[in-house]
């Protein structure tokens, strides 16, 4: 678990939302993995000195607390199931959070821990409980092509639904990060708004960047996928099925091998259009962030 250049930039960007937040909790004690060029770039773009925090060898010996205190947090702590990496708060996220640990933090950051927790619903409810009203939940978690890394790879809609308005949250930012090279960022709209699932599968590893703000009285209760909820609400059990008559006319005109190729191409193009609805591509995280403001 580590804060890399992408998640560091995400945190620096979130600082624009809440410049006075003072208490920061990370799930799992995070290393800091910044190369010298990455530290130099972030220093220039965000007007903060980071060059001395670079770890050219990515040695997993530099922890993230110096970055976070330099960003301006007065209290920085980590929560983990054990204290083996020096976490100051020991709690298994599979288990309910004790009352004395609730609503103690302005920001809760998941930089790669939730996919390792078996009882994800319990863990995400604990993340909510850790936050004060007005606080931010921030994650960078695995989406595609991370099989074997943890228990789970996540769908963006899981976070959109868990941190929905009806549960007392407001989504501030959502994007996919392709780790490249080159890095590419895809801003996301809520599938409940677009009416389409996010089924976007480019090659390489993708991570989800997601930021949500908690309101007073927030409570993550029942979570259902948005398109199913819409169908149930409309009692729509139909679906579009091509008639046999249409199919027979096409079969009479076009040879079967060509018809098969054309059908596959049309399906691919339709899925591409549908699955990229609500997705905009950017070359940098800064551009994706600016577009959503």
């Amino acid at each position: 678990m580590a804060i890399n250049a992408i998640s560091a930039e995400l945190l620096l960007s979130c600082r624009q939302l809440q410049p006075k937040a003072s208490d920061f909790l990370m799930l799992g004690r995070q290393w800091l993995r910044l190369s010298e060029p990455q530290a130099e770039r972030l220093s220039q773009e965000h007007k903060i000195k980071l060059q001395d925090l670079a770890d050219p060898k990515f040695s997993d010996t530099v922890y993230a607390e110096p970055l976070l205190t330099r960003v301006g947090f007065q209290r920085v702590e980590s929560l983990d199931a054990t204290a083996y990496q020096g976490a100051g708060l020991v709690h298994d996220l599979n288990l309910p959070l004790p009352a004395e640990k609730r609503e103690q933090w302005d920001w809760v950051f998941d930089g790669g821990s939730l996919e390792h927790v078996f009882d994800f619903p319990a863990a995400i409810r604990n993340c909510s409980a850790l936050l004060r009203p007005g606080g931010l939940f921030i994650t960078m978690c695995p989406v595609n092509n991370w099989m074997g890394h943890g228990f789970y790879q996540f769908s963006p809609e899981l976070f959109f639904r868990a941190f929905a308005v009806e549960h007392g949250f407001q989504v501030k930012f959502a994007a996919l990060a392709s780790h490249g090279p080159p890095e590419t960022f895809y801003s996301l709209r809520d599938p409940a708004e677009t009416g389409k699932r996010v089924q976007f599968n480019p090659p390489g590893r993708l991570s989800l960047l997601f930021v949500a703000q908690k309101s007073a009285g927030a409570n993550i209760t029942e979570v259902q996928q948005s398109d199913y909820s819409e169908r149930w609400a409309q009692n729509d059990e139909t679906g579009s099925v091509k008639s046999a008559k249409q199919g027979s006319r096409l079969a009479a005109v076009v040879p079967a091998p060509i018809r098969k190729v054309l059908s596959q191409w049309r399906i691919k193009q339709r899925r591409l259009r549908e699955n990229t609805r609500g997705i905009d591509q950017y070359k940098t995280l800064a551009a994706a962030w600016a577009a959503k403001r």
Side-chain angles (χ1 to χ4, degrees), residues 1-271:
M1 298 173 292
I3 294 177
N4 60 17
I6 295 175
S7 52
E9 185 170 5
L10 178 64
L11 292 172
L12 289 166
S13 299
C14 287
R15 205 56 167 145
Q16 302 169 24
L17 300 176
Q18 294 186 342
K20 295 183 179 180
S22 62
D23 299 323
F24 184 100
L25 180 69
M26 48 185 150
L27 304 183
R29 194 179 181 201
Q30 304 282 302
W31 290 302
L32 183 61
R33 290 182 188 155
L34 288 180
S35 68
E36 291 175 342
Q38 290 168 341
E40 178 66 31
R41 177 181 66 82
L42 292 175
S43 296
Q44 292 181 2
E45 293 178 358
H46 292 270
K47 312 302 180 186
I48 182 173
K49 182 182 178 182
L50 299 176
Q51 293 90 333
D52 59 315
L53 301 182
D55 181 18
K57 296 182 179 179
F58 289 1
S59 58
D60 288 345
T61 59
V62 178
Y63 281 101
E65 286 89 350
L67 166 70
L68 299 167
T69 55
R70 196 165 297 181
V71 168
F73 289 97
Q74 298 175 14
R75 182 170 62 133
V76 177
E77 193 56 88
S78 52
L79 180 150
D80 210 333
T82 72
Y84 87 105
Q85 282 186 309
L89 297 178
V90 176
H91 179 76
D92 186 343
L93 287 173
N94 289 290
L95 305 175
L97 195 69
E100 65 272 14
K101 292 183 179 179
R102 293 172 177 264
E103 297 192 352
Q104 298 296 310
W105 303 93
D106 295 318
W107 290 14
V108 171
F109 173 66
D110 166 43
S113 294
L114 290 177
E115 69 268 24
H116 303 284
V117 181
F118 174 70
D119 194 343
F120 175 81
I124 208 68
R125 290 185 174 106
N126 282 333
C127 289
S128 172
L130 286 162
L131 280 170
R132 295 182 178 123
L136 296 181
F137 170 78
I138 305 166
T139 187
M140 178 174 173
C141 61
V143 179
N144 278 6
N145 297 319
W146 291 86
M147 189 180 70
H149 169 75
F151 287 137
Y152 305 107
Q153 301 177 89
F154 295 112
S155 165
E157 178 150 12
L158 176 60
F159 287 86
F160 275 112
R161 298 283 67 76
F163 293 100
V165 171
E166 56 266 31
H167 294 153
F169 286 86
Q170 182 180 7
V171 176
K172 294 294 187 179
F173 182 73
L176 298 174
S178 174
H179 293 265
E183 291 177 354
T184 308
F185 299 88
Y186 305 90
S187 67
L188 301 175
R189 288 176 56 199
D190 189 340
E193 297 177 5
T194 64
K196 292 295 180 181
R197 299 175 178 178
V198 179
Q199 299 182 93
F200 182 56
N201 301 291
R205 285 182 165 182
L206 284 179
S207 292
L208 173 66
L209 311 179
F210 192 89
V211 181
Q213 185 174 21
K214 178 181 177 179
S215 301
N219 184 27
I220 300 175
T221 55
E222 180 184 11
V223 175
Q224 300 287 355
Q225 197 166 334
S226 61
D227 58 335
Y228 285 126
S229 296
E230 181 66 19
R231 291 181 195 176
W232 297 335
Q234 296 180 2
N235 195 24
D236 180 8
E237 296 293 340
T238 59
S240 68
V241 180
K242 183 186 294 184
S243 71
K245 187 175 181 180
Q246 289 175 316
S248 63
R249 287 202 303 265
L250 182 64
V253 176
V254 181
I258 298 177
R259 187 170 70 248
K260 181 178 180 180
V261 171
L262 287 173
S263 176
Q264 291 173 340
W265 179 84
R266 290 176 60 191
I267 291 171
K268 182 178 180 180
Q269 294 303 307
R270 187 190 73 238
R271 287 178 176 172

